Amino acid sequence: LWGLLIVHQCYQPRRWQTDEVELLQEISAHLAIAIQQSRLFEQVRHQARQEMLLNHILDEIRASLDVQHILTCT
């Protein structure tokens, strides 16, 4: 459950028309899609940050290697 969509009429009981119910169902479906896309976007953004950090660490490791020593050992 991500949230609730509440629609009510306070001053008297209401008989909802079929088209009103269908509209609310459509709105709910679109909101659910938007929320899911937002969650996926955050996951991708988090993964991208992790990959950038890993690439930075690998670059630092590569930069610290002694190239002459590596070439003489192979």
Side-chain angles (χ1 to χ4, degrees):
L1 178 66
W2 292 321
L4 298 171
L5 176 63
I6 299 172
V7 181
H8 59 90
Q9 181 173 324
C10 295
Y11 62 89
Q12 69 182 14
R14 180 182 178 99
R15 286 191 161 274
W16 293 96
Q17 303 296 317
T18 302
D19 59 339
E20 294 172 320
V21 172
E22 289 173 358
L23 175 63
L24 290 173
Q25 289 172 335
E26 285 293 318
I27 290 171
S28 297
H30 286 279
L31 284 172
I33 291 168
I35 291 168
Q36 182 63 23
Q37 287 177 335
S38 174
R39 292 181 71 195
L40 290 172
F41 176 75
E42 286 301 319
Q43 288 174 357
V44 168
R45 194 163 77 169
H46 177 73
Q47 184 177 356
R49 275 189 249 133
Q50 286 181 325
E51 289 177 9
M52 285 175 48
L53 177 60
L54 180 59
N55 285 335
H56 175 72
I57 291 168
L58 290 173
D59 288 343
E60 291 295 321
I61 291 170
R62 286 184 190 112
S64 69
L65 296 176
D66 181 359
V67 177
Q68 290 296 55
H69 177 72
I70 293 171
L71 290 176
T72 58
C73 291
T74 57

